[in-house]
Amino acid sequence: MVLLGTFINVLLIVVGSIIGRFFKNISDNMKSTVLMGIGLAVTLLGIQMGFKTSNFIIVIISLVIGAVIGEWIDLDKKLFHLGKWMENKIGNKSSEKGIAEGFVNATLIFIIGSMGILGALDSGIRNDHSVLITKGIIDGFTAIVLSSTLGIGVLISAIPVLFYEGIITFFAKFISEYIPEAALNLFIQEMTATGGVMIMAIGLNIAGLTKVRVANLLPGIVIVGLVVTIMFLFQ
């Protein structure tokens, strides 16, 4: 089953989010400290990912152009409004509030990074789901922590993860046939580094230290692909 890895990843996010809700009744002081700890840990992960780059110019160009595009179409606002719409639908029927924040932060954390792309490619090309299952275990534990502090919106983030990894899995054979392996490896490397900057910003936001509109940086991932393509066409 080609989507087995994706389904397991999504299931573990859902299970982790549900488990996390059993730890929701913690004091405000403890919640604040836990959020700060989560934020700093996510920031450290982003820094670690950022050091994967072999060409920092690609990272800078991708982030700058991506930010311009993202601000122009205001992805952050659209993603937050989607979360608010879900909050109104679910929050009116339950005691849950702040769904949008959990949805946006968790979606970005679970999607940005190389494991999702690598795992989906392995699932589609070799029917090997080990990378996505490993990612699912990591995401599941992350979901427990995030859900205990940011709410049920973390669970809803499983939906974009399903579409994101599912689409890559379905097109994996096409990608492997038409994109040279060296170009694909460079893209994954620089995408990881560019995504690392975004992950770092998410961590600082969760810690309450910054208010970076991280979703508006997401087009930078596409720009990485374009820059890498241009480099290989003119080398």
Side-chain angles (χ1 to χ4, degrees):
M1 182 180 178
V2 73
L3 289 177
L4 179 63
T6 298
F7 287 145
I8 291 176
N9 190 174
V10 169
L11 177 62
L12 290 172
I13 291 174
V14 171
V15 171
S17 300
I18 293 173
I19 293 174
R21 300 312 292 140
F22 288 103
F23 300 98
K24 66 178 181 178
N25 295 320
I26 59 179
S27 67
D28 289 340
N29 285 340
M30 185 179 294
K31 183 178 291 187
S32 176
T33 303
V34 169
L35 275 176
M36 180 66 75
I38 294 171
L40 293 176
V42 172
T43 301
L44 181 60
L45 172 63
I47 293 173
Q48 185 183 42
M49 290 170 61
F51 281 121
K52 301 290 186 181
T53 182
S54 62
N55 191 332
F56 197 66
I57 294 176
I58 296 177
V59 176
I60 294 175
I61 292 174
S62 300
L63 286 171
V64 171
I65 298 177
V68 171
I69 297 172
E71 284 292 336
W72 177 51
I73 60 181
D74 206 349
L75 278 175
D76 189 84
K77 186 177 181 180
K78 288 179 172 58
L79 191 58
F80 189 77
H81 280 173
L82 176 60
K84 276 295 183 182
W85 177 81
M86 293 178 178
E87 184 175 311
N88 291 332
K89 291 293 183 181
I90 299 173
N92 289 338
K93 301 177 182 178
S94 70
S95 59
E96 290 289 347
K97 299 298 177 185
I99 291 175
E101 181 183 2
F103 169 73
V104 172
N105 282 308
T107 297
L108 293 174
I109 289 173
F110 295 148
I111 285 181
I112 296 174
S114 59
M115 286 190 77
I117 293 178
L118 286 172
L121 289 173
D122 274 348
S123 289
I125 297 171
R126 292 187 286 271
N127 205 33
D128 181 355
H129 310 293
S130 57
V131 175
L132 282 186
I133 292 173
T134 302
K135 178 179 180 292
I137 294 171
I138 296 170
D139 288 351
F141 281 109
T142 304
I144 293 175
V145 180
L146 290 177
S147 180
S148 67
T149 52
L150 295 179
I152 202 66
V154 176
L155 186 151
I156 305 173
S157 68
I159 298 173
V161 172
L162 173 63
F163 282 102
Y164 172 72
E165 293 179 358
I167 289 171
I168 294 176
T169 299
F170 273 120
F171 285 98
K173 291 190 181 297
F174 173 83
I175 293 171
S176 64
E177 289 176 5
Y178 291 95
I179 299 179
E181 184 177 356
L184 185 59
N185 289 337
L186 180 61
F187 166 71
I188 292 174
Q189 182 181 39
E190 299 307 324
M191 183 275 296
T192 299
T194 304
V197 177
M198 300 179 198
I199 290 289
M200 182 177 65
I202 294 169
L204 294 174
N205 284 351
I206 291 175
L209 301 176
T210 59
K211 292 291 183 182
V212 181
R213 293 185 290 276
V214 180
N216 285 351
L217 296 175
L218 282 177
I221 300 296
V222 178
I223 301 302
V224 172
L226 293 176
V227 172
V228 170
T229 300
I230 292 171
M231 288 176 60
F232 270 82
L233 286 175
F234 290 97
Q235 70 177 5

